[in-house]
Amino acid sequence: MPHDQPASAPGPAPADASDHDPAEAPFLGLLATGAAAEEYERPVLRARAGGAAAARLAALERAKLLALRVRTELEDRRRREAELSALYATAHDLAGLRDLDAVLRAIVRRARSLLGTEVAYLTLNDPAAGDTYMRVTDGSVSARFQQLRLAMGEGLGGLVAQTARPYVTDSYFHDERFRHTRTIDSGVRDEGLVAILGVPLLLGSGVIGVLFAADRRERVFEPGQVALLAAHAAHAAVAIDTANLLAETRKTLTELEAANEIIRDRSSVIERASDVHDRLTELVLRGGGVQDVAEAVAEVLDGDVEFTEPGRAPAAALDRSRADGHAVRDGADWVAAVRAGGEVLGALVLRGHPALDPVDQRTLERAAMVTSLLLLARRTAGEAEQRVRGELLDDLLDAAARDPRLLRERAARVGADLDAPHVVLAARMSGAPISDGAGPPRPDGTDRRRLWSAASHLAATRHGLAAVRDGGAVLLLPLEPGGDPAHTAREIAARLGTALHVPVTVGASAPVPAPAARPAAVADAYAEARRCREALCALGRAGQGAAAADFGFLGLLLADTRDVDGFVHRTLGAVADYDARRGTELLRTLGAYFACGMSPARTKDELHVHVNTVAQRLERVGRLLGPDWQTPARALEIQLALRLHQLSAAVTRETEE
């Protein structure tokens, strides 16, 4: 018996409690069998009951504590192993899912299972709305709870989403660490939740949502459980991202398949587009013209394509095409504006194709672009000729003593015939500043440069001349036999206004018979054209065209020739001709009527006829002169014409006598 064993120890000591055995021996067996924690007290109690020495008891106590610590460590390791196994199984399950909804449901179910909670749920962030919303729940019974939305920083979930850190509460309604709101608290109360653990769903450095586990009673979530749910959330975030990527990939593949189908369907159209591109390129390189482009596009598109001037194209469709920059449909036709900057040079019109393919529409637009390039190239080549035309017109206006022979030679080089009748036109854009100087436009005169360009192009197409002068443009155009200067002025105003998309006012002179023979007449005609143009602006008729004959008796003041007989004939010619044919006295009656203050009663006394005769004659006058002959403006012109007619007749009689 050992010397420290009490003699009065009751009964024989157990073998595992022998003084000769190591103090750790009894506890190793307990660790091996996985005994409960209370079993570790028995070796100490038996030793104390057997009268073991104090040193032996202290050694047993130390061994017991060490064994319990080892037991706790082993249990922790077994638990972590079980958790890791569960996480591995979760990751394996999530990796096999492809549908986003299925992934989210699996995440929430496994979170509830891992922590053994009554409820689990998941919210996702909405970047557009700036909040987070309930996406999936498991174990939830409240419809209000299932439809919650949380602003960033509101409620426990909003705080997790905002800070990207886990948060846990043992008693939700008594926790003041986060901001409570009536809406969120009502939803949580409807669900009956008390203890809640929320961990962020992190993707990279950003939060895409929050994963929750919750109970309807107070509960303390251990740090290990928080870590377990956070690890599960990490797998879940990757699974969500994978599912999203797969969904996007499937969508992209579907779109690619549709695109491939479209490419296959459009292969013939693309081939046509490639063909027309090659042909248009060849046309440009070999110096083809506008008509060549129209013919090439017509062949490719199997239709009739025509280039039209701005004034001949459908105005509404041309404006829409110019504004949109694309070909537009006009009934059964398509119109593509040919433009350079803000200037419309014309249009390509494809006829008889109401349902044009988008690629073919683009082909027509490309052809319009090539046409504009060709026109600009032709314009550039013609600018030198335009300058020559402008210099010739400047000499006609400024140097009346020029040698007619030299003028004719210079005109012949640009295709003009200065021995034919011409008309001088003064044009100005509405609202454009008037300059007292002559010569080319100043660098800041963008509007005048555009006007000069359009006027020069128009003059070249009509074998005339154009120049910049006095803040506007002056044109010298041939006048066809029997041509009317007023009609020419209106036509030019319309053509320039269409080309420039702003009102252009044009005044015309009387015909100049042969500018080369009498250069001074050109300057006088230009002065008359300017007076007509300014008269239009003063009368509120900007944007129109007119000659002196259009202004009635005012034309006598505007015109250099003072064509009195022409004015009288235009005003009273119908009545005078009627008197000459029928032997009536309508002119005499008309003169008496105005002399008597437009009173039929006094007129019949003046003429010594019956009042009915006066009424019949005035009725005939109205049919000859028009229903407005008694309006103040017409009456004034008629009275002036009557006076001039009477003076002319008196002069004629005196000459004959």
PDB file of all heavy atoms in Angstrom, residues 295-328:
ATOM      1  N   GLU A 295     -29.468  55.743-111.893  1.00  0.00           N
ATOM      2  CA  GLU A 295     -29.634  54.525-112.682  1.00  0.00           C
ATOM      3  C   GLU A 295     -29.083  53.303-111.948  1.00  0.00           C
ATOM      4  O   GLU A 295     -29.688  52.224-111.980  1.00  0.00           O
ATOM      5  CB  GLU A 295     -28.935  54.699-114.032  1.00  0.00           C
ATOM      6  CG  GLU A 295     -29.620  55.702-114.960  1.00  0.00           C
ATOM      7  CD  GLU A 295     -28.835  55.928-116.237  1.00  0.00           C
ATOM      8  OE1 GLU A 295     -27.747  55.329-116.368  1.00  0.00           O
ATOM      9  OE2 GLU A 295     -29.310  56.705-117.095  1.00  0.00           O
ATOM     10  N   ALA A 296     -27.947  53.458-111.270  1.00  0.00           N
ATOM     11  CA  ALA A 296     -27.373  52.340-110.531  1.00  0.00           C
ATOM     12  C   ALA A 296     -28.283  51.900-109.399  1.00  0.00           C
ATOM     13  O   ALA A 296     -28.520  50.700-109.192  1.00  0.00           O
ATOM     14  CB  ALA A 296     -25.990  52.725-109.987  1.00  0.00           C
ATOM     15  N   VAL A 297     -28.822  52.851-108.654  1.00  0.00           N
ATOM     16  CA  VAL A 297     -29.706  52.512-107.540  1.00  0.00           C
ATOM     17  C   VAL A 297     -31.008  51.917-108.065  1.00  0.00           C
ATOM     18  O   VAL A 297     -31.557  50.974-107.475  1.00  0.00           O
ATOM     19  CB  VAL A 297     -29.987  53.763-106.673  1.00  0.00           C
ATOM     20  CG1 VAL A 297     -30.971  53.444-105.566  1.00  0.00           C
ATOM     21  CG2 VAL A 297     -28.697  54.293-106.089  1.00  0.00           C
ATOM     22  N   ALA A 298     -31.515  52.414-109.177  1.00  0.00           N
ATOM     23  CA  ALA A 298     -32.738  51.873-109.753  1.00  0.00           C
ATOM     24  C   ALA A 298     -32.566  50.409-110.138  1.00  0.00           C
ATOM     25  O   ALA A 298     -33.460  49.581-109.929  1.00  0.00           O
ATOM     26  CB  ALA A 298     -33.148  52.697-110.976  1.00  0.00           C
ATOM     27  N   GLU A 299     -31.393  50.079-110.678  1.00  0.00           N
ATOM     28  CA  GLU A 299     -31.142  48.687-111.073  1.00  0.00           C
ATOM     29  C   GLU A 299     -31.050  47.783-109.855  1.00  0.00           C
ATOM     30  O   GLU A 299     -31.595  46.673-109.847  1.00  0.00           O
ATOM     31  CB  GLU A 299     -29.858  48.621-111.890  1.00  0.00           C
ATOM     32  CG  GLU A 299     -29.550  47.232-112.422  1.00  0.00           C
ATOM     33  CD  GLU A 299     -28.311  47.211-113.296  1.00  0.00           C
ATOM     34  OE1 GLU A 299     -27.869  48.304-113.727  1.00  0.00           O
ATOM     35  OE2 GLU A 299     -27.788  46.111-113.530  1.00  0.00           O
ATOM     36  N   VAL A 300     -30.361  48.231-108.802  1.00  0.00           N
ATOM     37  CA  VAL A 300     -30.195  47.405-107.608  1.00  0.00           C
ATOM     38  C   VAL A 300     -31.519  47.231-106.870  1.00  0.00           C
ATOM     39  O   VAL A 300     -31.853  46.130-106.415  1.00  0.00           O
ATOM     40  CB  VAL A 300     -29.130  48.021-106.676  1.00  0.00           C
ATOM     41  CG1 VAL A 300     -29.086  47.277-105.344  1.00  0.00           C
ATOM     42  CG2 VAL A 300     -27.766  47.984-107.341  1.00  0.00           C
ATOM     43  N   LEU A 301     -32.285  48.306-106.741  1.00  0.00           N
ATOM     44  CA  LEU A 301     -33.552  48.251-106.011  1.00  0.00           C
ATOM     45  C   LEU A 301     -34.719  47.817-106.884  1.00  0.00           C
ATOM     46  O   LEU A 301     -35.845  47.698-106.385  1.00  0.00           O
ATOM     47  CB  LEU A 301     -33.862  49.628-105.394  1.00  0.00           C
ATOM     48  CG  LEU A 301     -32.841  50.160-104.384  1.00  0.00           C
ATOM     49  CD1 LEU A 301     -33.324  51.480-103.788  1.00  0.00           C
ATOM     50  CD2 LEU A 301     -32.599  49.150-103.276  1.00  0.00           C
ATOM     51  N   ASP A 302     -34.457  47.592-108.176  1.00  0.00           N
ATOM     52  CA  ASP A 302     -35.484  47.137-109.105  1.00  0.00           C
ATOM     53  C   ASP A 302     -36.676  48.101-109.087  1.00  0.00           C
ATOM     54  O   ASP A 302     -37.825  47.723-108.829  1.00  0.00           O
ATOM     55  CB  ASP A 302     -35.945  45.726-108.737  1.00  0.00           C
ATOM     56  CG  ASP A 302     -36.827  45.115-109.829  1.00  0.00           C
ATOM     57  OD1 ASP A 302     -36.734  45.569-110.988  1.00  0.00           O
ATOM     58  OD2 ASP A 302     -37.616  44.205-109.508  1.00  0.00           O
ATOM     59  N   GLY A 303     -36.390  49.361-109.354  1.00  0.00           N
ATOM     60  CA  GLY A 303     -37.441  50.372-109.373  1.00  0.00           C
ATOM     61  C   GLY A 303     -37.020  51.549-110.227  1.00  0.00           C
ATOM     62  O   GLY A 303     -35.993  51.527-110.910  1.00  0.00           O
ATOM     63  N   ASP A 304     -37.822  52.609-110.164  1.00  0.00           N
ATOM     64  CA  ASP A 304     -37.565  53.828-110.927  1.00  0.00           C
ATOM     65  C   ASP A 304     -37.068  54.892-109.960  1.00  0.00           C
ATOM     66  O   ASP A 304     -37.802  55.319-109.059  1.00  0.00           O
ATOM     67  CB  ASP A 304     -38.858  54.283-111.626  1.00  0.00           C
ATOM     68  CG  ASP A 304     -38.655  55.576-112.404  1.00  0.00           C
ATOM     69  OD1 ASP A 304     -37.494  55.883-112.724  1.00  0.00           O
ATOM     70  OD2 ASP A 304     -39.653  56.270-112.674  1.00  0.00           O
ATOM     71  N   VAL A 305     -35.799  55.309-110.109  1.00  0.00           N
ATOM     72  CA  VAL A 305     -35.197  56.313-109.234  1.00  0.00           C
ATOM     73  C   VAL A 305     -34.898  57.550-110.065  1.00  0.00           C
ATOM     74  O   VAL A 305     -34.318  57.465-111.146  1.00  0.00           O
ATOM     75  CB  VAL A 305     -33.907  55.784-108.579  1.00  0.00           C
ATOM     76  CG1 VAL A 305     -33.277  56.871-107.709  1.00  0.00           C
ATOM     77  CG2 VAL A 305     -34.193  54.553-107.749  1.00  0.00           C
ATOM     78  N   GLU A 306     -35.300  58.701-109.521  1.00  0.00           N
ATOM     79  CA  GLU A 306     -35.125  59.968-110.247  1.00  0.00           C
ATOM     80  C   GLU A 306     -34.575  61.019-109.300  1.00  0.00           C
ATOM     81  O   GLU A 306     -35.001  61.127-108.143  1.00  0.00           O
ATOM     82  CB  GLU A 306     -36.465  60.426-110.813  1.00  0.00           C
ATOM     83  CG  GLU A 306     -36.401  61.770-111.551  1.00  0.00           C
ATOM     84  CD  GLU A 306     -37.787  62.293-111.922  1.00  0.00           C
ATOM     85  OE1 GLU A 306     -38.783  61.636-111.555  1.00  0.00           O
ATOM     86  OE2 GLU A 306     -37.858  63.352-112.557  1.00  0.00           O
ATOM     87  N   PHE A 307     -33.601  61.797-109.799  1.00  0.00           N
ATOM     88  CA  PHE A 307     -33.129  62.955-109.053  1.00  0.00           C
ATOM     89  C   PHE A 307     -33.959  64.161-109.455  1.00  0.00           C
ATOM     90  O   PHE A 307     -34.127  64.448-110.643  1.00  0.00           O
ATOM     91  CB  PHE A 307     -31.656  63.235-109.332  1.00  0.00           C
ATOM     92  CG  PHE A 307     -31.178  64.523-108.713  1.00  0.00           C
ATOM     93  CD1 PHE A 307     -30.930  64.599-107.355  1.00  0.00           C
ATOM     94  CD2 PHE A 307     -31.013  65.668-109.488  1.00  0.00           C
ATOM     95  CE1 PHE A 307     -30.510  65.792-106.782  1.00  0.00           C
ATOM     96  CE2 PHE A 307     -30.596  66.856-108.918  1.00  0.00           C
ATOM     97  CZ  PHE A 307     -30.340  66.915-107.558  1.00  0.00           C
ATOM     98  N   THR A 308     -34.506  64.874-108.465  1.00  0.00           N
ATOM     99  CA  THR A 308     -35.340  66.046-108.736  1.00  0.00           C
ATOM    100  C   THR A 308     -34.758  67.262-108.034  1.00  0.00           C
ATOM    101  O   THR A 308     -34.131  67.155-106.974  1.00  0.00           O
ATOM    102  CB  THR A 308     -36.786  65.823-108.246  1.00  0.00           C
ATOM    103  OG1 THR A 308     -36.778  65.603-106.825  1.00  0.00           O
ATOM    104  CG2 THR A 308     -37.408  64.604-108.926  1.00  0.00           C
ATOM    105  N   GLU A 309     -34.982  68.420-108.639  1.00  0.00           N
ATOM    106  CA  GLU A 309     -34.577  69.682-108.029  1.00  0.00           C
ATOM    107  C   GLU A 309     -35.451  69.955-106.801  1.00  0.00           C
ATOM    108  O   GLU A 309     -36.562  69.410-106.674  1.00  0.00           O
ATOM    109  CB  GLU A 309     -34.729  70.829-109.033  1.00  0.00           C
ATOM    110  CG  GLU A 309     -33.838  70.704-110.255  1.00  0.00           C
ATOM    111  CD  GLU A 309     -32.376  70.950-109.933  1.00  0.00           C
ATOM    112  OE1 GLU A 309     -32.111  71.581-108.883  1.00  0.00           O
ATOM    113  OE2 GLU A 309     -31.512  70.517-110.707  1.00  0.00           O
ATOM    114  N   PRO A 310     -34.982  70.813-105.874  1.00  0.00           N
ATOM    115  CA  PRO A 310     -35.758  71.066-104.652  1.00  0.00           C
ATOM    116  C   PRO A 310     -37.186  71.528-104.926  1.00  0.00           C
ATOM    117  O   PRO A 310     -38.112  71.116-104.228  1.00  0.00           O
ATOM    118  CB  PRO A 310     -34.945  72.154-103.936  1.00  0.00           C
ATOM    119  CG  PRO A 310     -33.557  71.974-104.445  1.00  0.00           C
ATOM    120  CD  PRO A 310     -33.688  71.519-105.864  1.00  0.00           C
ATOM    121  N   GLY A 311     -37.373  72.372-105.936  1.00  0.00           N
ATOM    122  CA  GLY A 311     -38.710  72.895-106.195  1.00  0.00           C
ATOM    123  C   GLY A 311     -39.660  71.887-106.798  1.00  0.00           C
ATOM    124  O   GLY A 311     -40.879  72.100-106.804  1.00  0.00           O
ATOM    125  N   ARG A 312     -39.153  70.775-107.316  1.00  0.00           N
ATOM    126  CA  ARG A 312     -39.999  69.785-107.970  1.00  0.00           C
ATOM    127  C   ARG A 312     -40.250  68.550-107.109  1.00  0.00           C
ATOM    128  O   ARG A 312     -41.064  67.707-107.483  1.00  0.00           O
ATOM    129  CB  ARG A 312     -39.363  69.364-109.301  1.00  0.00           C
ATOM    130  CG  ARG A 312     -39.220  70.522-110.277  1.00  0.00           C
ATOM    131  CD  ARG A 312     -38.626  70.057-111.585  1.00  0.00           C
ATOM    132  NE  ARG A 312     -38.502  71.154-112.539  1.00  0.00           N
ATOM    133  CZ  ARG A 312     -38.004  71.030-113.755  1.00  0.00           C
ATOM    134  NH1 ARG A 312     -37.571  69.840-114.177  1.00  0.00           N
ATOM    135  NH2 ARG A 312     -37.912  72.083-114.554  1.00  0.00           N
ATOM    136  N   ALA A 313     -39.550  68.405-106.017  1.00  0.00           N
ATOM    137  CA  ALA A 313     -39.751  67.267-105.121  1.00  0.00           C
ATOM    138  C   ALA A 313     -40.962  67.531-104.227  1.00  0.00           C
ATOM    139  O   ALA A 313     -41.312  68.684-103.973  1.00  0.00           O
ATOM    140  CB  ALA A 313     -38.502  67.046-104.275  1.00  0.00           C
ATOM    141  N   PRO A 314     -41.630  66.473-103.737  1.00  0.00           N
ATOM    142  CA  PRO A 314     -42.748  66.661-102.790  1.00  0.00           C
ATOM    143  C   PRO A 314     -42.273  67.443-101.571  1.00  0.00           C
ATOM    144  O   PRO A 314     -41.400  66.976-100.832  1.00  0.00           O
ATOM    145  CB  PRO A 314     -43.149  65.217-102.431  1.00  0.00           C
ATOM    146  CG  PRO A 314     -42.644  64.376-103.563  1.00  0.00           C
ATOM    147  CD  PRO A 314     -41.407  65.046-104.045  1.00  0.00           C
ATOM    148  N   ALA A 315     -42.841  68.615-101.377  1.00  0.00           N
ATOM    149  CA  ALA A 315     -42.305  69.539-100.369  1.00  0.00           C
ATOM    150  C   ALA A 315     -42.352  68.951 -98.961  1.00  0.00           C
ATOM    151  O   ALA A 315     -41.364  69.009 -98.218  1.00  0.00           O
ATOM    152  CB  ALA A 315     -43.077  70.857-100.422  1.00  0.00           C
ATOM    153  N   ALA A 316     -43.508  68.380 -98.567  1.00  0.00           N
ATOM    154  CA  ALA A 316     -43.650  67.869 -97.198  1.00  0.00           C
ATOM    155  C   ALA A 316     -42.677  66.722 -96.938  1.00  0.00           C
ATOM    156  O   ALA A 316     -41.997  66.675 -95.905  1.00  0.00           O
ATOM    157  CB  ALA A 316     -45.084  67.425 -96.948  1.00  0.00           C
ATOM    158  N   ALA A 317     -42.604  65.784 -97.885  1.00  0.00           N
ATOM    159  CA  ALA A 317     -41.695  64.644 -97.721  1.00  0.00           C
ATOM    160  C   ALA A 317     -40.244  65.106 -97.712  1.00  0.00           C
ATOM    161  O   ALA A 317     -39.418  64.595 -96.942  1.00  0.00           O
ATOM    162  CB  ALA A 317     -41.923  63.621 -98.832  1.00  0.00           C
ATOM    163  N   LEU A 318     -39.914  66.082 -98.549  1.00  0.00           N
ATOM    164  CA  LEU A 318     -38.545  66.597 -98.597  1.00  0.00           C
ATOM    165  C   LEU A 318     -38.165  67.240 -97.266  1.00  0.00           C
ATOM    166  O   LEU A 318     -37.062  67.040 -96.760  1.00  0.00           O
ATOM    167  CB  LEU A 318     -38.411  67.601 -99.735  1.00  0.00           C
ATOM    168  CG  LEU A 318     -37.006  68.157 -99.995  1.00  0.00           C
ATOM    169  CD1 LEU A 318     -36.047  67.036-100.351  1.00  0.00           C
ATOM    170  CD2 LEU A 318     -37.047  69.203-101.108  1.00  0.00           C
ATOM    171  N   ASP A 319     -39.094  67.988 -96.673  1.00  0.00           N
ATOM    172  CA  ASP A 319     -38.814  68.623 -95.380  1.00  0.00           C
ATOM    173  C   ASP A 319     -38.611  67.573 -94.291  1.00  0.00           C
ATOM    174  O   ASP A 319     -37.722  67.701 -93.440  1.00  0.00           O
ATOM    175  CB  ASP A 319     -39.960  69.566 -94.995  1.00  0.00           C
ATOM    176  CG  ASP A 319     -39.949  70.840 -95.823  1.00  0.00           C
ATOM    177  OD1 ASP A 319     -38.900  71.147 -96.413  1.00  0.00           O
ATOM    178  OD2 ASP A 319     -41.002  71.503 -95.910  1.00  0.00           O
ATOM    179  N   ARG A 320     -39.442  66.521 -94.296  1.00  0.00           N
ATOM    180  CA  ARG A 320     -39.297  65.473 -93.290  1.00  0.00           C
ATOM    181  C   ARG A 320     -37.974  64.731 -93.446  1.00  0.00           C
ATOM    182  O   ARG A 320     -37.292  64.427 -92.464  1.00  0.00           O
ATOM    183  CB  ARG A 320     -40.456  64.480 -93.372  1.00  0.00           C
ATOM    184  CG  ARG A 320     -41.754  65.023 -92.790  1.00  0.00           C
ATOM    185  CD  ARG A 320     -42.821  63.948 -92.674  1.00  0.00           C
ATOM    186  NE  ARG A 320     -43.337  63.552 -93.979  1.00  0.00           N
ATOM    187  CZ  ARG A 320     -43.265  62.327 -94.467  1.00  0.00           C
ATOM    188  NH1 ARG A 320     -42.698  61.366 -93.760  1.00  0.00           N
ATOM    189  NH2 ARG A 320     -43.773  62.043 -95.652  1.00  0.00           N
ATOM    190  N   SER A 321     -37.610  64.440 -94.686  1.00  0.00           N
ATOM    191  CA  SER A 321     -36.342  63.747 -94.924  1.00  0.00           C
ATOM    192  C   SER A 321     -35.158  64.614 -94.516  1.00  0.00           C
ATOM    193  O   SER A 321     -34.194  64.126 -93.927  1.00  0.00           O
ATOM    194  CB  SER A 321     -36.239  63.355 -96.401  1.00  0.00           C
ATOM    195  OG  SER A 321     -35.005  62.731 -96.674  1.00  0.00           O
ATOM    196  N   ARG A 322     -35.243  65.898 -94.811  1.00  0.00           N
ATOM    197  CA  ARG A 322     -34.156  66.802 -94.422  1.00  0.00           C
ATOM    198  C   ARG A 322     -34.034  66.876 -92.906  1.00  0.00           C
ATOM    199  O   ARG A 322     -32.923  66.859 -92.360  1.00  0.00           O
ATOM    200  CB  ARG A 322     -34.426  68.200 -94.974  1.00  0.00           C
ATOM    201  CG  ARG A 322     -33.369  69.227 -94.588  1.00  0.00           C
ATOM    202  CD  ARG A 322     -33.777  70.619 -95.042  1.00  0.00           C
ATOM    203  NE  ARG A 322     -35.004  71.051 -94.418  1.00  0.00           N
ATOM    204  CZ  ARG A 322     -35.068  71.590 -93.197  1.00  0.00           C
ATOM    205  NH1 ARG A 322     -33.967  71.762 -92.477  1.00  0.00           N
ATOM    206  NH2 ARG A 322     -36.226  71.961 -92.696  1.00  0.00           N
ATOM    207  N   ALA A 323     -35.166  66.934 -92.205  1.00  0.00           N
ATOM    208  CA  ALA A 323     -35.132  67.046 -90.750  1.00  0.00           C
ATOM    209  C   ALA A 323     -34.678  65.742 -90.091  1.00  0.00           C
ATOM    210  O   ALA A 323     -33.902  65.757 -89.133  1.00  0.00           O
ATOM    211  CB  ALA A 323     -36.515  67.450 -90.221  1.00  0.00           C
ATOM    212  N   ASP A 324     -35.153  64.582 -90.603  1.00  0.00           N
ATOM    213  CA  ASP A 324     -34.827  63.296 -89.996  1.00  0.00           C
ATOM    214  C   ASP A 324     -33.468  62.769 -90.420  1.00  0.00           C
ATOM    215  O   ASP A 324     -32.859  61.961 -89.719  1.00  0.00           O
ATOM    216  CB  ASP A 324     -35.891  62.242 -90.348  1.00  0.00           C
ATOM    217  CG  ASP A 324     -37.260  62.606 -89.785  1.00  0.00           C
ATOM    218  OD1 ASP A 324     -37.295  63.459 -88.878  1.00  0.00           O
ATOM    219  OD2 ASP A 324     -38.262  62.047 -90.247  1.00  0.00           O
ATOM    220  N   GLY A 325     -33.002  63.168 -91.590  1.00  0.00           N
ATOM    221  CA  GLY A 325     -31.763  62.620 -92.105  1.00  0.00           C
ATOM    222  C   GLY A 325     -31.920  61.234 -92.699  1.00  0.00           C
ATOM    223  O   GLY A 325     -30.931  60.530 -92.900  1.00  0.00           O
ATOM    224  N   HIS A 326     -33.163  60.820 -92.959  1.00  0.00           N
ATOM    225  CA  HIS A 326     -33.430  59.497 -93.521  1.00  0.00           C
ATOM    226  C   HIS A 326     -34.408  59.620 -94.680  1.00  0.00           C
ATOM    227  O   HIS A 326     -35.106  60.629 -94.826  1.00  0.00           O
ATOM    228  CB  HIS A 326     -34.016  58.561 -92.466  1.00  0.00           C
ATOM    229  CG  HIS A 326     -33.093  58.305 -91.310  1.00  0.00           C
ATOM    230  ND1 HIS A 326     -31.966  57.527 -91.421  1.00  0.00           N
ATOM    231  CD2 HIS A 326     -33.131  58.739 -90.025  1.00  0.00           C
ATOM    232  CE1 HIS A 326     -31.345  57.479 -90.256  1.00  0.00           C
ATOM    233  NE2 HIS A 326     -32.032  58.217 -89.389  1.00  0.00           N
ATOM    234  N   ALA A 327     -34.455  58.556 -95.491  1.00  0.00           N
ATOM    235  CA  ALA A 327     -35.469  58.494 -96.542  1.00  0.00           C
ATOM    236  C   ALA A 327     -36.834  58.308 -95.890  1.00  0.00           C
ATOM    237  O   ALA A 327     -36.976  57.580 -94.902  1.00  0.00           O
ATOM    238  CB  ALA A 327     -35.179  57.334 -97.489  1.00  0.00           C
ATOM    239  N   VAL A 328     -37.858  58.972 -96.428  1.00  0.00           N
ATOM    240  CA  VAL A 328     -39.201  58.909 -95.858  1.00  0.00           C
ATOM    241  C   VAL A 328     -40.181  58.466 -96.935  1.00  0.00           C
ATOM    242  O   VAL A 328     -39.965  58.683 -98.130  1.00  0.00           O
ATOM    243  CB  VAL A 328     -39.637  60.263 -95.260  1.00  0.00           C
ATOM    244  CG1 VAL A 328     -38.710  60.682 -94.130  1.00  0.00           C
ATOM    245  CG2 VAL A 328     -39.675  61.350 -96.329  1.00  0.00           C
TER     246      VAL A 328
END
